[in-house]
Amino acid sequence: MALNKVVICGVNTAKLPLLTNEEKTKLFIQVEQGDYRARERLVEGNLRLVLSVIQRFSASSENADDLFQVGCIGLMKAIDNFDRSLNVKFSTYAVPMIIGECRRYLRDNNAIRVSRSLRDIAYKAIYAKEKILREEDREPTIDEVAKAIELDKELVVMALDAIATPMSLYDPVYQEGGDTLYIMDQVSDKKNKEENWVEDISLKEAMKRLSEREYNIIKLRFFEGKTQTEVASEIAISQAQVSRLEKSALKSMKGYLNME
């Protein structure tokens, strides 16, 4: 795998921007407010991080362009899930996610070879989806993505399925000390409805002591079975803020119940 090339995936690596810590902080604040241009700048400003990570896989026979694109997906996931309140450097959080994305790609790509043309279609679909999301502030349908790249919907679905990697619900999205956020935290729970477990009057009393925003988050998450991302969209805050407020609310409720 040749990594000494100047251009990877059409990106001139010699001209990649660098962001100061202050710039990163400002951009993350803007991202939390829904600014997709700020998200783009964060991605561009951290592409050198992706390059440094994929060099760890120099012994692999994989094409550097492919690994760079996979690493960028890991970078975007890191940006979308980063929680500034945990006082961790972004690079410390992002590097394991980028490495994990690359390792899953190499593992699955070795087991079942996905054609280059199919991977190209999948990456085009991902970028088209990002573009529609940025411009229209909504999640596009498969039909819209297929139309944007001028391909049949069936082919787009096949391509995206081909590069998808199975993950455990217990894979950590973030881990710092004893505070771990798992994939299952983002999965909708359709069975944990209010009538199934909110029968204890003490629990209702504990909820009454929450702020209005915390109460709404707990109600949407555990009574209506919505994911943190869905809750964030509904109450117009970031997913990271939902996660933080949810943990604070549960801690407060637990403290109250332990006093009972």
Side-chain angles (χ1 to χ4, degrees):
M1 180 178 67
L3 287 170
N4 57 350
K5 59 194 295 185
V6 175
V7 176
I8 295 183
C9 294
V11 177
N12 187 339
T13 60
K15 295 184 177 180
L16 290 176
L18 286 172
L19 297 174
T20 65
N21 289 333
E22 188 177 81
E23 288 174 326
K24 287 179 183 178
T25 299
K26 289 180 180 178
L27 288 172
F28 270 116
I29 292 173
Q30 292 171 344
V31 168
E32 290 171 3
Q33 296 170 347
D35 189 333
Y36 289 104
R37 292 188 182 277
R39 184 176 181 271
E40 276 189 341
R41 285 193 61 198
L42 271 173
V43 171
E44 293 173 357
N46 284 281
L47 290 180
R48 290 178 184 268
L49 190 61
V50 176
L51 285 173
S52 68
V53 169
I54 67 173
Q55 289 184 43
R56 302 185 184 196
F57 301 94
S58 58
S60 168
S61 60
E62 280 299 323
N63 183 280
D65 284 2
D66 290 342
L67 271 181
F68 181 71
Q69 292 183 71
V70 171
C72 287
I73 292 174
L75 172 63
M76 288 187 285
K77 288 181 178 180
I79 289 173
D80 291 340
N81 291 284
F82 184 59
D83 187 347
R84 292 183 303 109
S85 68
L86 297 174
N87 294 321
V88 175
K89 286 181 63 177
F90 175 67
S91 59
T92 303
Y93 173 71
V95 167
M97 294 195 74
I98 297 171
I99 291 175
E101 204 70 31
C102 290
R103 283 177 175 167
R104 280 189 291 273
Y105 169 77
L106 291 172
R107 179 195 65 203
D108 296 339
N109 205 37
N110 285 333
I112 302 175
R113 297 296 298 185
V114 179
S115 71
R116 178 65 183 267
S117 60
L118 205 57
R119 289 201 301 269
D120 286 344
I121 291 172
Y123 293 135
K124 287 179 182 177
I126 291 171
Y127 294 142
K129 178 181 177 181
E130 289 288 328
K131 187 173 184 292
I132 295 172
L133 182 63
R134 181 177 66 252
E135 293 177 351
E136 302 186 21
D137 195 22
R138 65 179 179 81
E139 192 80 14
T141 65
I142 287 293
D143 286 323
E144 290 173 323
V145 173
K147 184 178 179 181
I149 61 177
E150 300 180 340
L151 290 172
D152 292 336
K153 177 179 71 173
E154 292 75 14
L155 186 57
V156 172
V157 172
M158 184 188 304
L160 291 174
D161 285 344
I163 67 167
T165 57
M167 300 179 71
S168 166
L169 288 176
Y170 293 92
D171 279 353
V173 175
Y174 177 81
Q175 188 169 15
E176 176 68 17
D179 186 12
T180 304
L181 178 65
Y182 297 98
I183 290 176
M184 66 181 300
D185 291 331
Q186 304 301 303
V187 177
S188 176
D189 183 353
K190 301 299 182 184
K191 294 183 179 180
N192 263 346
K193 301 296 184 179
E194 183 175 6
E195 61 269 20
N196 291 336
W197 64 279
V198 188
E199 299 175 351
D200 193 321
I201 190 64
S202 296
L203 185 56
K204 294 181 180 179
E205 288 299 315
M207 288 193 64
K208 288 180 182 178
R209 286 163 170 74
L210 301 177
S211 68
E212 183 179 355
R213 175 170 281 184
E214 290 176 332
Y215 180 92
N216 286 335
I217 288 174
I218 295 299
K219 179 175 180 294
L220 291 170
R221 281 282 287 138
F222 298 103
F223 297 176
E224 299 183 15
K226 295 189 176 182
T227 68
Q228 290 183 348
T229 302
E230 290 171 333
V231 174
S233 176
E234 184 162 331
I235 64 177
I237 62 175
S238 70
Q239 182 271 330
Q241 288 175 300
V242 170
S243 176
R244 186 164 59 250
L245 288 168
E246 178 185 315
K247 289 178 181 178
S248 173
L250 292 174
K251 183 177 180 181
S252 297
M253 292 171 64
K254 181 179 179 181
Y256 173 78
L257 293 172
N258 286 340
M259 293 171 58
E260 286 290 287

